């Protein structure tokens, strides 16, 4: 049995005074357009694995892999090791190493210049990188293009979830921020469809079309960065106070007078934030009052990759080709998996603000544990070395992977970005999201670089490896993550201060946070009493 741990929201009486919290056409439009930043990330995840399974691409850039693939089809080599090539894995994973390195300057830029300029620069990086990859004539050009794509994705992932969480009404912040994950899944699905079509009809140079179409989401984000408003939080933090008030009123679809309570909370947080320099902001992450959010952010960002999802998304065509599916069947399997990914993200958008973050995390974790161990056991029993998986067992594996993907898609997928974006105090928000992207991309790089080698060495055991990690992360959520659903973003720190375990980490800072919240609540009650509404 778990100890009794309080996970109350703790938004305080003040949050109940926020007006204009309903969704309306303008805020929905902003969410959909800004959320398209996820298309960059998703398209790349979906396209890279499919492209490296195409024989013409292998033959041109990775001839040794092409030779092993041909030998595996003939039954002359271990199929688990067909794609075990460090240069091939570097093609996929170099993007994430670049994304990690750009995260720190992107976080600084986001704070100093605003959210929109960071989105604009991200789109330009991605546009140039897609052009270089589409025109590549050697591996060096591929890697350079991937690095530029990484700069674009690292910048976009630092700012888009943050933009969405700041623009959203606090009661709908979860659903709106999840639009980022929805567009990630749509990008993955679109890439898998394009890869399948290109493999069937694209000829020997069809892979160039797959890589070049990455320019489409870049163009969408470029346009979005020009037409969207800056967030009120960013405007107020940078001294454009009245403009921030007007934008907040427009986002809430009410008058500037009616946003006063929320506006004052944002301005109060901005006063604290502007007193901290960018370098001091990173140091402030380690202050006692911010330690719970920093630890939680870093663990969630790393754990998201240790679910094994990107290994499966990157290399789904290789996995199914390894167990005996043909090139087209392997790519078609990826299409099926990614369609489940998209559908279940809609479930997450519906459920996240109704059932909370913890509930989705825990249910998804149990579902992923069961399916990862089931997948490993099925392959261990049915798949013999130098043979193919029987068709009925292959269909069963596809079904298991789809169920696993569903669990991820309504839990660790969207929540892995939502929770880090909403638990940062305003004075360290840019640095906090930068830390999330750095850790996420570092783990993605390591897993992307090592997965095919792990599959060669561990074989079916690689599924047990990821399953064990999901057990660990599910226990972390159960014991350590407070519920943040429905809590105003300026009040989220209070949930950690009231958590019996994190309270010890925060020390006296917990009492200070609670006292400040109670003081604000008292002011609200006094104002209500004076106006006769209390």
């Amino acid at each position: 049995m778990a100890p009794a741990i309080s996970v109350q929201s703790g938004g305080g009486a003040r949050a109940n005074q926020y007006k204009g919290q309903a969704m309306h056409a303008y805020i929905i439009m902003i969410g959909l357009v800004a959320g398209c930043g996820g298309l960059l990330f998703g398209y790349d995840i979906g396209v890279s694995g499919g492209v490296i399974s195409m024989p013409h691409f292998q033959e041109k850039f990775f001839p040794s892999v092409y030779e092993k693939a041909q030998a595996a089809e003939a039954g002359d080599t271990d199929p688990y090791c067909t794609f075990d090539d460090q240069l091939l894995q570097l093609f996929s994973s170099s993007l994430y190493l670049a994304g990690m390195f750009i995260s720190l300057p992107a976080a600084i830029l986001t704070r100093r210049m605003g959210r929109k300029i960071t989105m604009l620069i991200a789109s330009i990086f991605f546009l140039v990188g897609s052009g270089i990859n589409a025109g590549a004539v050697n591996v060096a050009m591929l890697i350079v293009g991937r690095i530029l794509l990484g700069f674009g994705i690292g910048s976009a992932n630092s700012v888009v979830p943050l933009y969405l969480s700041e623009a959203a009404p606090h009661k709908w912040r979860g659903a709106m921020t999840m639009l980022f994950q929805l567009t990630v899944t749509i990008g993955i699905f679109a890439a898998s469809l394009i890869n399948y079509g290109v493999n069937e009809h694209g000829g020997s140079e069809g892979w160039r079309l797959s890589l070049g179409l990455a320019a489409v989401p870049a163009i969408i984000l470029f346009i979005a960065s020009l037409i969207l408003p800056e967030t009120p939080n960013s405007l107020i933090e940078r001294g454009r106070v009245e403009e921030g008030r007007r934008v907040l009123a427009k986002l809430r679809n009410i008058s500037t007078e009616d946003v006063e309570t929320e506006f004052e909370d944002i301005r109060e947080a901005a006063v604290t934030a502007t007193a901290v320099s960018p370098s001091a902001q990173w140091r402030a992450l380690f202050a006692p009052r911010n330690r719970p959010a920093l630890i939680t952010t870093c663990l969630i960002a790393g754990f998201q990759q240790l679910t094994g999802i990107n290994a499966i998304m990157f290399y789904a065509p290789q996995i199914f080709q390894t167990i005996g599916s043909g090139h087209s069947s392997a790519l078609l399997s990826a299409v099926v998996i990614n369609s489940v990914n998209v559908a279940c993200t809609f479930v997450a958008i519906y459920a996240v603000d109704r059932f909370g973050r913890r509930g989705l995390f825990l249910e998804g974790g149990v579902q992923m544990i069961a399916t990862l161990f089931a997948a490993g056991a099925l392959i261990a029993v049915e798949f013999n070395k130098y043979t193919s998986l029987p068709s009925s067992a292959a269909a069963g594996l596809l079904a298991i992977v789809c169920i696993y993907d569903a669990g991820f898609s309504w839990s660790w997928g969207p929540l892995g970005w939502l929770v880090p974006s909403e638990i940062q105090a305003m004075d360290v928000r840019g640095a906090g999201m930068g830390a999330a992207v750095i850790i996420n991309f570092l783990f993605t790089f390591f897993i992307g670089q090592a997965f095919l080698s792990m599959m060669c060495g561990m074989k079916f055991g690689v599924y047990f490896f990821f399953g064990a990690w999901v057990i660990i992360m599910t226990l972390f959520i159960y014991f350590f993550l407070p519920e943040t659903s429905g809590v105003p973003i300026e009040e989220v720190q209070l949930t950690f201060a009231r958590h019996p375990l994190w309270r010890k980490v925060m020390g006296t800072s917990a009492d200070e946070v609670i006292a400040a919240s109670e003081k604000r609540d008292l002011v609200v009650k006094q104002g209500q009493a004076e106006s006769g509404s209390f």
Side-chain angles (χ1 to χ4, degrees):
M1 291 292 291
I5 295 178
S6 171
V7 294
Q8 59 188 307
S9 295
R14 192 168 179 82
N16 297 326
Q17 304 304 307
Y18 288 4
K19 298 180 180 179
Q21 296 301 300
M23 296 295 283
H24 53 90
Y26 182 64
I27 194 68
I28 292 172
M29 182 276 292
I30 286 177
L32 291 173
V33 174
C36 287
L39 289 174
L40 278 66
F41 193 25
Y43 188 86
D44 182 80
I45 291 173
V47 79
S48 56
V51 164
I52 62 179
S53 73
M54 297 178 185
H56 294 298
F57 182 81
Q58 295 171 4
E59 189 175 17
K60 183 175 183 64
F61 296 106
F62 305 100
S64 62
V65 174
Y66 177 76
E67 291 171 3
K68 285 193 291 184
Q70 298 304 306
E73 288 184 2
D76 296 332
T77 189
D78 186 348
Y80 279 113
C81 299
T82 299
F83 298 97
D84 181 17
D85 183 274
Q86 287 299 304
L87 188 60
L88 177 67
Q89 291 175 97
L90 183 63
F91 165 73
S92 288
S93 61
S94 58
L95 179 149
Y96 299 96
L97 192 62
M100 182 189 72
F101 281 113
I102 200 67
S103 298
L104 176 57
I108 295 173
L109 180 67
T110 296
R111 182 181 178 190
R112 287 183 173 176
M113 303 296 293
R115 292 23 169 174
K116 289 180 52 168
I117 189 65
T118 308
M119 289 193 286
L120 178 67
I121 292 173
S123 67
I124 294 172
F125 273 132
F126 205 82
L127 188 60
V128 175
S130 62
I132 292 175
N133 270 353
V137 296
N138 52 48
V139 174
M141 284 187 69
L142 285 177
I143 301 300
V144 169
R146 296 287 292 174
I147 290 172
L148 291 173
L149 291 173
F151 288 160
I153 288 178
S155 300
N157 284 22
S158 294
V159 71
V160 173
L162 182 62
Y163 182 96
L164 291 170
S165 68
E166 290 181 344
H170 79 86
K171 291 182 179 179
W172 296 98
R173 188 178 62 246
M176 189 159 163
T177 306
M178 279 190 175
L179 291 173
F180 176 77
Q181 179 64 20
L182 176 62
T183 58
V184 170
T185 62
I186 291 173
I188 296 172
F189 178 63
S192 62
L193 280 176
I194 290 167
N195 282 336
Y196 179 72
V198 162
N199 186 70
E200 292 293 303
H201 308 293
S204 62
E205 298 292 304
W207 57 269
R208 295 189 187 276
L209 179 62
S210 289
L211 295 178
L213 285 175
V216 174
I219 292 171
I220 294 174
L221 184 61
F222 180 86
I223 295 171
S225 67
L226 297 178
I227 65 174
L228 292 175
E230 186 57 90
T231 69
N233 307 62
S234 178
L235 290 168
I236 295 168
E237 185 180 2
R238 291 184 289 125
R240 296 157 63 179
V241 177
E242 288 308 312
E243 184 180 355
R245 187 199 297 266
R246 290 193 298 272
V247 171
L248 180 62
K250 188 172 183 181
L251 290 174
R252 301 296 176 259
N253 198 30
I254 54 179
S255 69
T256 54
E257 291 77 17
D258 286 338
V259 297
E260 188 64 25
T261 303
E262 185 175 3
F263 171 77
E264 287 299 331
D265 282 350
I266 295 173
R267 186 163 66 173
E268 180 181 333
V271 169
T272 303
T274 52
V276 182
S277 67
S279 58
Q281 184 180 131
W282 284 88
R283 291 194 299 271
L285 276 177
F286 297 90
R289 67 186 180 87
N290 293 322
R291 283 176 191 164
L294 175 63
I295 295 169
T296 301
T297 291
C298 291
L299 286 176
I300 287 178
F303 282 156
Q304 189 191 55
Q305 296 310 309
L306 289 171
T307 61
I309 187 64
N310 274 354
I312 292 173
M313 291 294 102
F314 283 161
Y315 299 122
Q318 285 70 41
I319 293 170
F320 283 94
Q321 197 170 331
T322 290
I323 60 176
S325 299
H327 301 304
S328 295
S329 296
L331 289 171
L332 186 58
S333 297
V335 173
V336 174
I337 294 168
N338 294 331
S339 66
V340 171
N341 199 4
V342 174
C344 291
T345 302
F346 281 104
V347 176
I349 292 173
Y350 173 81
V352 65
D353 290 313
R354 291 173 172 84
F355 303 111
R357 283 58 160 157
R358 282 172 52 86
L360 291 181
F361 264 132
L362 294 173
E363 192 285 329
V366 171
Q367 188 168 324
M368 289 189 289
I369 291 166
T371 49
L372 283 167
F373 280 96
L378 176 63
I379 295 175
V381 171
E382 296 289 343
F383 185 48
N384 297 315
K385 194 175 181 180
Y386 305 117
T387 66
S388 61
L389 198 67
S391 57
S392 58
L397 178 61
L398 178 59
I400 290 171
V401 172
C402 286
I403 296 170
Y404 159 84
D405 189 40
F408 177 85
S409 297
W410 58 54
S411 63
W412 280 91
L415 296 177
W417 292 108
L418 168 61
V419 172
S421 75
E422 69 182 0
I423 64 175
Q424 314 299 329
M426 188 168 181
D427 58 321
V428 295
R429 194 164 295 162
M433 274 307 294
V437 174
I438 288 171
I439 296 298
N440 187 281
F441 279 18
L442 180 63
F443 275 76
T444 306
F445 168 76
F446 284 139
I447 291 173
Q449 188 66 28
F451 177 72
L452 295 177
S453 298
M454 289 169 63
M455 191 163 67
C456 179
M458 299 172 69
K459 298 180 169 53
F460 58 85
V462 73
Y463 291 95
F464 299 153
F465 171 82
F466 288 121
W469 275 109
V470 179
I471 292 174
I472 293 171
M473 64 187 73
T474 301
L475 291 173
F476 169 79
I477 295 298
Y478 185 73
F479 287 106
F480 294 105
L481 185 69
E483 184 57 69
T484 57
S485 177
V487 181
I489 201 166
E490 283 70 38
E491 293 278 344
V492 168
Q493 194 176 57
L494 182 62
T495 65
F496 287 101
R498 287 177 169 167
H499 191 286
L501 300 177
W502 289 122
R503 183 184 177 88
K504 296 177 182 178
V505 175
M506 295 176 73
T508 58
S509 296
D511 295 328
E512 294 170 1
V513 170
I514 293 172
S517 176
E518 290 175 347
K519 182 179 179 180
R520 288 194 298 269
D521 289 350
L522 181 60
V523 170
V524 171
K525 291 178 180 178
Q526 290 175 341
Q528 290 174 330
E530 291 172 0
S531 65
S533 60
F534 182 70

